[in-house]
Amino acid sequence: MVVGDFAEERETIIVGAGPGGYVAAIRAAELGQKVMLVEREYIGGVCLNVGCIPSKALISAGHRYQLASSELFGVTLGKGTLDFTKTQAWKDKDVVARLTGGVEMLIKKHKVEIIRGEVYLHDDHTLRVMSETNESAAQTYRFENLILATGSRPVEIPNFKFNGRVIDSTGALNLTEVPRELVVIGGGYIGTELAGAYANLGAHVTILEGTDAILPNFEKDMVDIVKKHLKAKGVDIYTNALAKTSQQDDKSVQVTYTVADEEKTITADYCLVTVGRRPNTDEMGIEYTSVKVGDRGLIEVDNQGRTAATNIYAIGDIVPGAALAHKAFFEGKIAAEAISGDQAAAVDYLGIPAVCFADPELATVGLTVGEAKDKGIKAKGWKFPFAGNGRALTLGETDGFIRLVTDENKTVIGAQVIGEGASDLIAELALAVNSAMNVEDIALTIHAHPTLAETIAEAADMAMGFPTHI
């Protein structure tokens, strides 16, 4: 083949330096592989640059702003003020730049070769990298192993092209002002998180969700608490609402939608569209390889990330499963280990937690009671409220609960948390699910007092039949 005549040889090439790609590169290097990492845009990917990390920065800023204006605990600070320019500068410089710079340093520390450019596959062993700065410059490489970690991009819907005042999540994270009015189309993870963040920062927010509920991946009793908090912030939520058209000028955008067969119009400063993400598996030449791609653009892989081309692996948002950074982290490690010959390395998707940084936070791992029963498992849920926890009371955060899901042998097969610190509490529960712990293992673990983690022990006591504080 002509492209191979001038090809440079590489042992392992990884395409994409997002959470999955850079972790795979580091782990592969640690295992002795000679690694080249190709990235066309961001070191750290969407997550570190325009996703998980900057969104949490704005969420944290919103919480601080609300706290500064409250009279909770008898502390009165007066009306808080917000300099959003300084907020954005802090997010970009002290959070994002610091983190992405650290990641690049780690990659170089492990002697991973970093190449900037766009990848096009020619076959199962050859690819071409087009320079990001010089379109006429390109280099062909032959590889022994390849890990694809190209991530995803926001889905665009008809009549809402990302332009001007119709924005995607990246645009929402980089606004120069807090909108007076913000319309959010899509009430999933991203839409709900950013709706809550901007509501806390002072915007009036309207959520338009096309299905009958926001946050459809969480159980109703959890979502009801989030809805209560959103409405307390003045957020309007319309479900079964279909966004139809948008019209904009240099000052506002007008959104027309239908709900309950009635057409309505709302005018806002910006319209944020968050209806899902599309895997970046097109326009890179996958069709010239043996890799199989499904109808939704997701690459078919085994539990080590191996594709139909046995030397090519795929991880992260481009393979089936939830689009979660920590899922990509783990898949990257497993793929690197599989390349190094570890036959036992495998991804167990049941034990991967999911978190939504809404207000309050939601987290889940393993099976719900309903999912377990659908699989023919006799399951029961054990629910302990935050209102019965001393630390939650001292924080003024009593809305929420923790629920353990057990099978007939009292083995922990799932858990859900809604409330303050849910994103941290889920770690112990993920360990319980991954380790197939019995509730007795948790009940006999002494949890420090007073802490939110005591809610987990309390639920375990309930499952054992010896509840203490309920």
Side-chain angles (χ1 to χ4, degrees), residues 365-442:
V365 66
L367 301 173
T368 66
V369 172
E371 289 169 342
K373 290 181 177 179
D374 288 343
K375 292 178 178 290
I377 301 171
K378 293 181 179 179
K380 188 169 181 179
W382 309 92
K383 182 175 174 180
F384 186 83
F386 273 37
N389 175 260
R391 182 57 176 149
L393 285 165
T394 65
L395 290 170
E397 299 287 353
T398 55
D399 271 353
F401 59 82
I402 177 268
R403 177 165 48 224
L404 290 177
V405 180
T406 61
D407 64 13
E408 58 187 332
N409 298 315
K410 299 294 178 68
T411 298
V412 181
I413 58 174
Q416 298 87 45
V417 188
I418 167 82
E420 178 74 11
S423 58
D424 294 316
L425 293 173
I426 201 65
E428 179 181 346
L429 299 165
L431 177 63
V433 172
N434 271 291
S435 304
M437 287 183 180
N438 190 279
V439 289
E440 187 176 12
D441 297 319
I442 298 175

Side-chain angles (χ1 to χ4, degrees), residues 195-341:
Y198 273 108
N200 279 335
L201 290 167
H204 177 259
V205 181
T206 301
I207 298 176
L208 304 178
E209 167 56 42
T211 67
D212 59 3
I214 64 170
L215 298 173
N217 294 323
F218 292 94
E219 294 193 273
K220 184 179 182 300
D221 57 353
M222 301 172 73
V223 177
D224 284 345
I225 295 174
V226 174
K227 286 167 61 178
K228 182 182 81 170
H229 280 244
L230 286 172
K231 290 177 179 178
K233 301 177 196 300
V235 176
D236 294 321
I237 303 171
Y238 296 97
T239 55
N240 295 311
L242 181 62
K244 304 289 285 185
T245 61
S246 65
Q247 292 183 321
Q248 61 176 296
D249 54 31
D250 61 348
K251 293 184 179 179
S252 64
V253 57
Q254 190 176 74
V255 176
T256 300
Y257 64 100
T258 58
V259 60
D261 296 323
E262 182 181 353
E263 187 170 278
K264 297 184 177 182
T265 299
I266 185 170
T267 300
D269 298 284
Y270 294 95
C271 173
L272 166 61
V273 180
T274 60
V275 295
R277 298 184 66 85
R278 187 188 312 280
N280 292 326
T281 53
D282 50 346
E283 299 181 359
M284 61 184 296
I286 288 181
E287 64 272 21
Y288 299 114
T289 71
S290 303
V291 174
K292 296 187 183 304
V293 180
D295 294 338
R296 294 171 49 224
L298 297 172
I299 296 175
E300 298 176 9
V301 293
D302 65 12
N303 63 0
Q304 291 190 319
R306 187 182 291 104
T307 70
T310 57
N311 67 316
I312 299 179
Y313 295 73
I315 61 175
D317 291 5
I318 60 174
V319 301
L324 301 169
H326 48 279
K327 168 179 169 286
F329 285 149
F330 195 70
E331 289 171 336
K333 294 176 183 178
I334 295 299
E337 291 165 5
I339 289 171
S340 289

